Amino acid sequence: MLAVTCAFWQEWCGRCRYRGPYAERVQRSALLLKLLTFAPTGAIIAAPTTSLPEALGGTRNWDYRFSWLRDSTFILHALVALGYSGEARRFCEFLCQCCVRSTLPNLQVLYGIGGETKLTERELIHLNGYRGSQPVRIGNAAYRQRQADIYGELANWALLYHALGQPIDSTLEEIIRGAADYTATHWMDPDQGIWEMRSELRHHVHSKIMSWVALDRAIRLLGPNPHWERARNAVLTTILERGIDPEGTHLIQAFDYRDMDAAFLLVPLLDVPIDRAILVRTVAAIERRLRVGDYVHRYLAPDGLPGTEGAFLICSFWLVDALLALGRAEEARALFERLLAKANDVGLYAEEIDPADEAFLGNFPQGFTHLALINSAIHLQLYAQGGEAALGGTHADRVRRAIGDKDHIHALRRDLKAEAHGVDTRQSVLDMDI
């Protein structure tokens, strides 16, 4: 059993497509992402822990042992860019179970690893928590929230899945069409946003941008649709009219709220028709208001919760990507290499870090942080090969460039198709039931 287990992981690692200067760190992060997958269903969890505090002694302690649609699609983008295919196929099966059979056209923010839809949050008052940080929670009330960006994240993932040669079968079409129809009807509804705020609903600008993405990707995948096209145009017009600070001429966190949001660091890589000058000013505003040294807070606005939190490590890696996309390559690489030095002794990261003493905070190890490390390493390699143009387009475009030669793309497509039909094309220990 030990020999088979070692062979399994050695072969899995050997299939990593990345050959850049950060290969060891990329592979370490890929291993962590693989370990967050649940083989029986294809679910991918955010982290394997609950209630590790975002501030020692504080109450921001959450259960991350669930499958967030957003986190999962981000993780799959990273794994597919490294050349891994099996996780993508299995997650599509999980999507079918969760979305089509349970909640479509509404998408739930997170699901249990068995596809459970009710994830009631409870406090275990008899437990002291990590270093006295109470309460310890199981379950997560965010499952009841409205977070409109997940429709765009799912459609973005579908575009990549199709780019790898997978057909849009009836099940996937049902998911994409349902998401687009829902978005076209509800994009003007307020939500809690990507950061799961527990305050009043707001018109988060990042959510509006991802609503545009949901409609755009559906049109690319399923063809012209006047209803979707009208809604897509209306979303963009509204963003430009209400989502721009009148003085700073940069994006703002929400309509009528002039705070900043680190999620805007993703926008330069979304292929959204927002003027480059606006994006440059938005990144500058984030650095000015949310950056502390090498670290970036996700926001500093009130969110309905007591206490404080650290800087989100994923936001630092997102800054690397945004700097690259805007031509600040030397700064991006230097920041990335400094961030690599922040890992613990076995190459792992938590969700957050305290900018003052660089202590890890939040659940650990965190998939969000590791997928962002992988993406930044790939983006740095793409930039070195082709400059800003190599980072243009959608995630699907960049993944195709990262995978590289046509033979490997064909092999990845073949593996996906073979796995879908239960055909063993590789005679590999990876296909053994261990």
Side-chain angles (χ1 to χ4, degrees), residues 101-384:
R101 299 174 186 170
S102 300
T103 63
L104 202 70
N106 294 316
L107 293 181
Q108 194 163 291
V109 175
L110 63 150
Y111 297 87
I113 60 173
E116 298 87 354
T117 58
K118 186 176 181 180
L119 308 172
T120 303
E121 184 174 294
R122 295 188 293 124
E123 297 182 0
L124 305 183
I125 60 175
H126 61 288
L127 297 178
N128 290 328
Y130 177 74
R131 296 178 65 178
S133 301
Q134 294 178 311
V136 173
R137 293 183 173 94
I138 58 173
N140 197 305
Y143 83 94
R144 297 179 298 178
Q145 287 190 350
R146 169 176 161 74
Q147 298 176 22
D149 72 290
I150 62 176
Y151 293 88
E153 305 299 359
L154 186 58
N156 226 9
W157 159 243
L159 186 66
L160 171 57
Y161 191 65
H162 184 56
L164 296 176
Q166 292 306 290
I168 303 298
D169 60 21
S170 60
T171 299
L172 189 54
E173 179 177 349
E174 185 178 357
I175 293 173
I176 298 167
R177 191 174 300 279
D181 286 340
Y182 183 88
T183 299
T185 303
H186 294 280
W187 69 268
M188 266 303 293
D189 296 345
D191 73 340
Q192 271 96 4
I194 184 175
W195 302 122
E196 301 183 347
M197 291 186 174
R198 298 200 177 192
S199 56
E200 74 281 0
L201 298 177
R202 299 177 183 176
H203 289 281
H204 290 94
V205 174
H206 173 262
S207 296
K208 306 303 183 191
I209 291 172
M210 293 311 299
S211 293
W212 185 95
V213 169
L215 295 162
D216 179 75
R217 300 330 188 232
I219 293 167
R220 297 189 193 206
L221 287 165
L222 302 181
N225 182 303
H227 181 44
W228 299 346
E229 291 164 7
R230 286 193 298 270
R232 181 181 61 174
N233 293 338
V235 173
L236 183 61
T237 298
T238 304
I239 290 169
L240 297 178
E241 289 178 349
R242 301 190 60 193
I244 305 294
D245 185 278
E247 296 179 8
T249 59
H250 53 71
L251 296 170
I252 54 176
Q253 184 184 56
F255 297 167
D256 304 320
Y257 290 85
R258 297 177 65 183
D259 304 288
M260 289 308 301
D261 187 340
F264 293 143
L265 295 170
L266 293 166
V267 180
L269 296 169
L270 288 175
D271 202 27
V272 178
I274 295 176
D275 189 76
R276 178 187 174 94
I278 294 175
L279 300 181
V280 169
R281 291 191 292 268
T282 299
V283 172
I286 290 171
E287 290 187 275
R288 187 168 59 251
R289 294 163 63 176
L290 300 181
R291 185 175 182 179
V292 181
D294 292 337
Y295 308 119
V296 181
H297 289 280
R298 54 182 181 166
Y299 57 81
L300 292 175
D303 59 6
L305 293 167
T308 61
E309 63 183 28
F312 267 57
L313 283 164
I314 192 173
C315 297
S316 292
F317 288 107
W318 285 351
L319 178 58
V320 171
D321 299 337
L323 294 176
L324 277 176
L326 298 177
R328 296 165 60 183
E330 291 185 9
E331 294 175 71
R333 185 174 294 278
L335 174 59
F336 180 77
E337 292 182 349
R338 292 196 300 273
L339 291 172
L340 291 183
K342 310 304 181 184
N344 73 358
D345 58 326
V346 290
L348 299 178
Y349 296 84
E351 178 183 32
E352 302 176 24
I353 196 166
D354 185 334
D357 62 11
E358 298 190 324
F360 281 164
L361 298 168
N363 283 308
F364 172 90
Q366 179 73 19
F368 240 12
T369 310
H370 287 274
L371 70 87
L373 183 156
I374 292 171
N375 286 337
S376 292
I378 291 171
H379 293 155
L380 283 163
Q381 187 175 39
L382 287 174
Y383 189 95

Side-chain angles (χ1 to χ4, degrees), residues 400-414:
R400 280 197 297 263
R401 296 181 196 122
I403 291 174
D405 63 80
K406 292 182 179 179
D407 288 342
H408 188 77
I409 293 175
H410 290 324
L412 191 58
R413 290 173 174 172
R414 180 202 64 210

Side-chain angles (χ1 to χ4, degrees), residues 30-89:
L31 277 170
L32 184 276
L33 299 186
K34 176 65 172 176
L35 289 168
L36 295 179
T37 64
F38 183 58
T41 65
I44 305 172
I45 62 172
T49 56
T50 181
S51 302
L52 294 180
E54 296 180 8
L56 286 180
T59 61
R60 296 181 180 228
N61 316 318
W62 313 110
D63 190 350
Y64 279 11
R65 300 170 300 162
F66 303 104
S67 184
W68 270 256
L69 287 187
R70 177 191 308 109
D71 300 42
S72 299
T73 58
F74 282 3
I75 287 172
L76 289 171
H77 275 107
L79 288 177
V80 170
L82 297 179
Y84 296 110
S85 61
E87 294 75 17
R89 176 185 58 81

